Amino acid sequence: MDKEQELKLAKKAIRGNPDAYGELITCYQEYLYKMAFLYMKNEQDSLDLVGTVILKGYQNIRTLKNPAWFKTWLTRILINAAKDTRKRFIYYEDIDSTAIPEQSHGVSAEEKLDLNTAVSNLPEKYRLVIVLKYFSDLSVREISYIMNAPEGTIKAYLSRARKELKELLKEDYFYAD
């Protein structure tokens, strides 16, 4: 779906068209699941979170002021819902249950596991900006909106997070631009 079509659907959804909202959700369902899984770390909780986000988004679609920011707005709902849900649960994860992604672009599975471990060891605000910037490919402006923080703060968080990752990894295979 191109940006123009997405914008038209978002405008219709804001005006109360449930079919338009459904089309937008269909477009972003995989993205929502991946983001939810980054927080919840298991399939069932991730699916539950996505369901919650879809419902909250539908109930609050009229509060979206800029239709062009639909994905960013929905991401913000997801992150807030994930934080609320995680406050209620304690997770125990052992190394055997950690899914290692397939090898790509010359990065070994060990390097990916090291990177995932390093990112998960960052403080929450730094982890969030890294995930949104590099795993979700959002702009600093969009991250600023999601985190409700000035763009300068987001840039500082990104810089500090990259520095901490370099320290944690002590390797040259992590390149950030």
Side-chain angles (χ1 to χ4, degrees):
M1 172 182 319
D2 64 18
K3 287 290 182 187
E4 186 177 318
Q5 187 179 8
E6 179 184 336
L7 186 61
K8 286 180 183 178
L9 286 173
K11 286 178 181 178
K12 287 180 181 178
I14 291 169
R15 288 192 302 265
N17 184 324
D19 293 332
Y21 182 78
E23 284 186 53
L24 288 167
I25 293 302
T26 300
C27 179
Y28 289 118
Q29 66 187 3
E30 186 176 332
Y31 165 79
L32 289 171
Y33 176 76
K34 287 178 181 179
M35 283 296 295
F37 196 86
L38 285 171
Y39 277 91
M40 306 313 290
K41 306 288 190 220
N42 77 56
E43 183 179 358
Q44 189 57 53
D45 289 342
S46 299
L47 291 170
D48 291 345
L49 179 61
V50 169
T52 300
V53 170
I54 291 169
L55 180 61
K56 283 185 179 185
Y58 183 71
Q59 291 171 336
N60 296 295
I61 188 69
R62 292 180 188 267
T63 66
L64 176 59
K65 301 210 183 325
N66 184 349
W69 286 62
F70 178 81
K71 179 181 176 185
T72 305
W73 174 79
L74 207 55
T75 302
R76 186 176 192 173
I77 292 172
L78 185 139
I79 290 168
N80 289 334
K83 286 179 181 179
D84 290 345
T85 302
R86 284 179 49 195
K87 287 177 189 173
R88 291 184 232 133
F89 297 107
I90 299 174
Y91 288 97
Y92 298 95
E93 181 179 310
D94 66 38
I95 194 70
D96 295 333
S97 68
T98 303
I100 299 173
E102 69 279 351
Q103 194 167 348
S104 64
H105 306 298
V107 178
S108 72
E110 293 83 15
E111 290 171 329
K112 284 185 177 184
L113 185 58
D114 288 346
L115 179 59
N116 286 336
T117 301
V119 169
S120 68
N121 286 327
L122 290 173
E124 174 72 20
K125 61 187 174 186
Y126 296 162
R127 182 173 56 248
L128 182 57
V129 295
I130 290 293
V131 166
L132 293 173
K133 176 72 175 162
Y134 297 106
F135 293 81
S136 297
D137 200 30
L138 296 177
S139 69
V140 169
R141 185 173 181 207
E142 291 169 319
I143 297 168
S144 171
Y145 173 80
I146 290 168
M147 293 182 67
N148 198 25
E151 289 181 34
T153 301
I154 300 306
K155 289 177 183 176
Y157 286 177
L158 279 168
S159 175
R160 292 179 194 141
R162 286 190 295 254
K163 183 178 179 182
E164 281 196 37
L165 282 173
K166 285 178 185 177
E167 287 295 315
L168 288 168
L169 294 170
K170 294 193 187 334
E171 295 283 342
D172 290 330
Y173 61 78
F174 178 73
Y175 298 101
D177 30 76

